[in-house]
């Protein structure tokens, strides 16, 4: 396994739309080894998720895992989840203004409107179907990762550039109010 370099904002390939993965491609030992590297890279960087696009592999594969994450200590636990060809469909119009960060946007957070109730279909790394609803703050995390596969960073979705903040300023000026809102969302949805 290997820790891969993560591309940062300004890298043109972060705007590429990743390609669907075929069952044959997914079964290749090389693809499975890549998924191991994606997980190792995500964990090494303390990411809550990582998309293949961020390590410049343009296939629709991403990872999500949250377990006492030091970057996002308020996020509910999400067991390691590999999504292949994920499709997210909003279940309603309920939105949450999430303060997001990204390993490809070092040092900056900003506010993005995310759906709070989604239906997810995907394959796992073995090609087994995933078909379930994703709710609450976890829904925001999944949308962020799938956006990467469509060539989008959270910066592309920040509606008010006045919400952009360094992590230091976030902790000083915005943390408490945001975490209060996030905890209310988590309490409402259980995730
Ligand atoms: Ni990201």
């Amino acid at each position: 396994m290997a820790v891969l370099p993560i591309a940062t904002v300004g890298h043109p390939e972060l705007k590429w739309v990743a390609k669907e993965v075929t069952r044959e491609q997914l079964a290749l030992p090389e693809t499975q080894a890549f998924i191991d590297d994606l997980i190792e890279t995500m964990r090494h960087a303390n990411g809550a998720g990582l998309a293949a696009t961020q390590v410049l592999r343009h296939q629709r594969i991403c990872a999500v895992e949250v377990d006492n994450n030091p970057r996002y200590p308020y996020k509910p636990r999400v067991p390691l989840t590999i999504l292949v060809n994920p499709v997210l469909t909003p279940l309603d119009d309920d939105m949450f203004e999430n303060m997001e960060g990204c390993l490809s946007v070092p040092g900056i957070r900003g506010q993005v409107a995310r759906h709070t109730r989604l239906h997810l279909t995907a394959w796992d790394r073995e090609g087994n179907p995933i078909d379930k609803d994703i709710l609450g703050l976890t829904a925001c995390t999944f949308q962020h990762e799938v956006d990467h596969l469509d060539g989008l960073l959270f910066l592309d979705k920040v509606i008010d550039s006045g919400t952009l903040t360094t992590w230091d300023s976030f902790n000083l000026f915005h943390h408490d109010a945001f975490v209060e809102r996030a905890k209310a969302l988590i309490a409402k949805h259980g995730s």
Side-chain angles (χ1 to χ4, degrees), residues 85-153:
N85 300 331
V87 176
L88 297 174
T89 308
L91 294 171
D92 59 30
D93 292 330
D94 189 55
M95 308 294 283
F96 177 73
E97 293 188 339
N98 193 31
M99 281 297 287
E100 303 200 354
C102 179
L103 295 172
S104 293
V105 187
I108 299 288
R109 298 181 72 151
Q111 194 162 287
V112 180
R114 297 292 190 187
H115 287 276
T116 63
R117 291 164 41 82
L118 300 169
H119 188 73
L120 164 69
T121 60
W123 295 337
D124 68 13
R125 65 182 295 173
E126 278 90 38
N128 301 308
I130 299 170
D131 187 325
K132 62 179 183 177
D133 293 341
I134 307 284
L135 306 177
L137 200 63
T138 302
C140 301
T141 304
F142 277 59
Q143 283 162 94
H144 177 112
E145 296 311 324
V146 173
D147 272 355
H148 278 301
L149 302 179
D150 290 321
L152 295 170
L153 298 174

Side-chain angles (χ1 to χ4, degrees), residues 31-54:
T31 305
Q32 292 294 317
F34 166 72
I35 291 171
D36 289 336
D37 290 347
L38 187 73
I39 295 166
E40 186 173 5
T41 304
M42 172 180 67
R43 289 175 172 168
H44 181 262
N46 288 320
L50 190 65
T53 304
Q54 293 176 273

